[in-house]
Amino acid sequence: MDERRALVTARRGDGRAEIPLLPAGSSRPVPGWQEQGPDADDPQLDLEEWRRRIRRHPGELKALLRNQAFVAGIGNAYSDEILHAAQLLPFRKRTTLAAEEVDGLYESTRSVLNRATGVLRERVPPTFETEVRDFLAIHNKGGQPCPRCGTRLTEVSAGGTATSYCRGCQR
Ligand SMILES: [Zn+2]
């Protein structure tokens, strides 16, 4: 339990004080302090539940999809795939989404994960992560043409994490 509280010890003046690892004002919950979200492919996560949960998270869409307090189980690659399927830019804020875009994000999440599960099931046993991910549409394919609109895919990297998206058909 203690390690989940994410505390670091910092020197301050003549003494030591424990301070939270997260910066002040961060909306990201400390793991273990808030409920973990349902699995992204949990049948109980229906559209109503999705709409209800997403209201609590105002931030960027890519971070939102990867936030385990929102939904669990979506990693870096699939967050790119889902946003491309939904035609939404990864750095767009959730607060700017129209109601139909919130619903579209739900549909894309389900369809991308269902498709991935189907493909992976056909390929038993998987050998390497890169091998079982060769069916992804855009992740790690910066510079290649978008499968939907042909625009050259953009790839940006922050902190060792690659984000791929299309400026042509995601907004
Ligand atoms: Zn495109």
Side-chain angles (χ1 to χ4, degrees):
M1 247 352 197
D2 281 350
E3 75 275 8
R4 301 187 71 188
R5 299 184 64 164
L7 297 173
V8 296
T9 302
R11 270 196 189 285
R12 196 171 60 184
D14 56 346
R16 295 169 79 90
E18 279 194 330
I19 57 167
L21 188 61
L22 295 171
S26 168
S27 63
R28 196 153 60 96
V30 174
W33 283 11
Q34 273 193 11
E35 59 173 319
Q36 161 133 342
D39 284 339
D41 59 356
D42 187 332
Q44 303 223 6
L45 179 63
D46 60 13
L47 181 56
E48 288 302 320
E49 177 70 2
W50 175 271
R51 288 170 177 159
R52 193 181 67 76
R53 298 191 65 83
I54 206 170
R55 276 187 224 120
R56 301 184 214 152
H57 301 278
E60 293 176 352
L61 297 180
K62 173 146 176 162
L64 168 75
L65 290 177
R66 297 175 67 198
N67 184 343
Q68 306 293 304
F70 173 53
V71 290
I74 299 176
N76 188 43
Y78 288 118
S79 64
D80 283 355
E81 297 295 308
I82 289 165
L83 288 168
H84 182 256
Q87 295 184 251
L88 296 170
L89 287 168
F91 306 114
R92 192 152 154 212
K93 295 281 206 304
R94 193 279 301 162
T95 45
T96 69
L97 294 186
E100 60 267 27
E101 289 176 316
V102 169
D103 293 0
L105 190 55
Y106 174 78
E107 299 303 330
S108 295
T109 298
R110 285 311 179 95
S111 64
V112 166
L113 295 181
N114 284 343
R115 178 166 172 269
T117 306
V119 170
L120 295 182
R121 200 176 285 133
E122 286 168 15
R123 294 188 190 181
V124 177
T127 46
F128 296 104
E129 190 179 54
T130 48
E131 252 180 76
V132 300
R133 288 184 167 184
D134 59 8
F135 62 90
L136 298 181
I138 64 155
H139 184 69
N140 276 346
K141 295 187 178 177
Q144 296 180 37
C146 169
R148 181 190 290 120
C149 73
T151 302
R152 201 175 289 272
L153 294 169
T154 300
E155 191 150 302
V156 297
S157 207
T161 300
T163 293
S164 314
Y165 60 99
C166 176
R167 293 178 194 275
C169 64
Q170 289 175 257
R171 59 203 161 81

